[in-house]
Amino acid sequence: MMKSPATLVATVALALTTALGACGDHGALPDAARADAGFPDATIPPPVGEFPAGFLWGTAIAPYQVEGGLHASDWHQWEARCEVCSGEHADDGPDFWNRYEDDLANAAALHTGALRLGIDWSRIFPTAASFPASPDLDAVRRYHDILAAARAHGLEPMVTLHHFVTPIWLHDLEPKTAKAGWEDPAIIDAFAVWADFCAREFGAEVDWWITINEPLAYVAGGYLSGAFPPGAGLDIDRGILVVMNMIEAHARAYDALHAGDSVDADADGAPALVSIAQHMSAFRPATPGDEESERATEMLRYLLNRIFLDAVVYGALDRNFDMDTDDAGEQVDPMLAGRLDYVGVNYYRLLLGAYIGENNYPLIGLPFGNDLHQQGVDLPSTDFGWPIYAPGFREVLDEAAVYGLPIVITENGLADGDDTLRPRFLLEHLYELARAIQDGLDIRGYYHWSLIDNFEWASGYCPRFGLYHVDFESADRTRRAGEGAEVYRRIIDANTVPVELYGVYPRYPLPSTLCPRVGL
Ligand code: GAL
């Protein structure tokens, strides 16, 4: 049925600009934020079952956020242009490119057996002329070294091919030499060639692949809030184009990875397992019972959680974003269907759906349109002002399970510079995960975001997501395990959530830092 795609997508704009950390300073948190999300203070929940044999305990990082030196990328151009960004630079980050040995040893010290990392397209192919015949051989060698070191530390790698960052030769922000990046369908072929290169070059070391990280978040950042390159504000038509091109590109890359990676690196019978990392949120109507609010919530859930997965699992592509696939040109596409081997889920938070009317445009940019504290929602929150809501994790897992595929949590974490929140966050979220497994969901792994503090895109270095905190002032970027690292290791060692730890971390205090959120 036809509805205005702009109406639907504008609803997404409202939610996702805040999901990405848009809209100025947070201000003081109300006392209500002290409330617990899960069990009442000091209540110890009943014991929960063990995680299954072979469960992948991991952490996650992304090239631009940890490596430094990615100067042939659109994000490097963007840092110099972005007016709403922190003004900080990825080059001043944790320098994983040179310090990976220490970081991988630290990952192993947590007793994790898996690591999600990325291989950066612009690092290996810095110019159009280099692609695909003349890769930067030093960069290729370094990635081989990193993968080999990961294996030497007992870490099964999961590799992301695109994590928000595109080579300048495909996405050039300079007006004179402009390139349209993901708006140009030419990127579909190029991405398939990039996937083919990675499959053949790295397939002997890698079995777990992620083609694209958070397609809808990429669009929200680049085309709705404008905090990511190309910095377009509320440009819904261009945003839709990008989503469509990413869906096609994923399907083509899926085929390329399966064709090119025939080596079963971990001898488990599966040489290549391919997915995306899908940003999935829990949703509530801002005004429960209000028809428009409920409708807005369902739209958000569909557009943010489902539209991409529906396309690459069922082949049903909702080209006009109207919440159905019964319009001309939307019939099941066999070139899209069946292009997902597992559902990669990134879960961070709860969002509210509100009535924003047919004429959305004046309302979309409202500051704090989705700030839960401002709307009276009684949840603790992180240094980034994001609400902590572990029951929503279970809701999202149930939603992901609908596809009938194994599920892997490809990201889950929080900004917490002094680790006063992270221990309980881990307990609550992993308890939900264990309970879901106990209830029969097929969940294969959990990757905590992040192994180390890193460059949080437009927000720079204030939000600290690392299990290991990095001293960015020190010459050698000293790493130090936070208290969350210890709790994570204890959970991994027990292979369940030791519920007695709830007594040690009975509540969430107020965050001691409030990081400015930048965007609109
Ligand atoms: C995700 C993203 C990561 C990281 C994380 C924390 O959306 O994939 O790169 O920034 O959020 O905000």
Side-chain angles (χ1 to χ4, degrees), residues 37-56:
F39 299 91
D41 279 6
T43 301
I44 310 269
V48 70
E50 291 203 351
F51 289 87
F55 189 78
L56 293 165

Side-chain angles (χ1 to χ4, degrees), residues 278-291:
Q278 170 72 17
H279 193 291
M280 293 184 86
S281 298
F283 294 95
R284 291 285 183 283
T287 315
D290 170 68
E291 197 187 313

Side-chain angles (χ1 to χ4, degrees), residues 326-466:
D326 61 7
D327 300 303
E330 293 186 340
Q331 68 279 13
V332 168
D333 182 346
M335 294 303 288
L336 297 180
R339 264 54 176 202
L340 212 69
D341 299 323
Y342 62 98
V343 186
V345 174
N346 291 3
Y347 175 72
Y348 285 94
R349 63 189 299 202
L350 173 75
L351 295 172
L352 296 185
Y355 172 57
I356 53 174
E358 284 303 310
N359 181 15
N360 305 297
Y361 287 90
L363 293 176
I364 293 165
L366 269 184
F368 314 121
N370 223 315
D371 186 301
L372 274 64
H373 296 134
Q374 300 252 332
Q375 303 199 29
V377 174
D378 192 10
L379 291 173
S381 75
T382 72
D383 291 1
F384 223 6
W386 293 359
I388 298 176
Y389 188 60
F393 194 19
R394 177 57 191 270
E395 291 172 23
V396 153
L397 294 171
D398 287 336
E399 202 175 350
V402 166
Y403 294 98
L405 297 167
I407 296 168
V408 176
I409 314 312
T410 39
E411 285 180 34
N412 171 239
L414 75 166
D416 178 20
D418 58 7
D419 275 50
T420 52
L421 311 166
R422 189 170 283 103
R424 187 169 174 97
F425 180 100
L426 280 161
L427 293 172
E428 288 189 354
H429 285 76
L430 289 167
Y431 189 89
E432 289 295 341
L433 198 63
R435 205 168 56 80
I437 292 169
Q438 196 168 273
D439 292 347
L441 269 66
D442 182 4
I443 301 169
R444 305 282 173 92
Y446 173 88
Y447 294 72
H448 191 79
W449 183 273
S450 176
L451 174 61
I452 42 177
D453 291 338
N454 58 60
F455 179 73
E456 177 57 25
W457 308 111
S459 299
Y461 294 105
C462 178
R464 289 177 176 264
F465 281 85

Side-chain angles (χ1 to χ4, degrees), residues 195-201 203-204 254-263 272:
D196 172 72
F197 172 85
C198 288
R200 291 175 201 285
E201 183 65 41
Y254 176 97
D255 291 346
L257 288 165
H258 276 286
D261 177 5
S262 54
V263 184

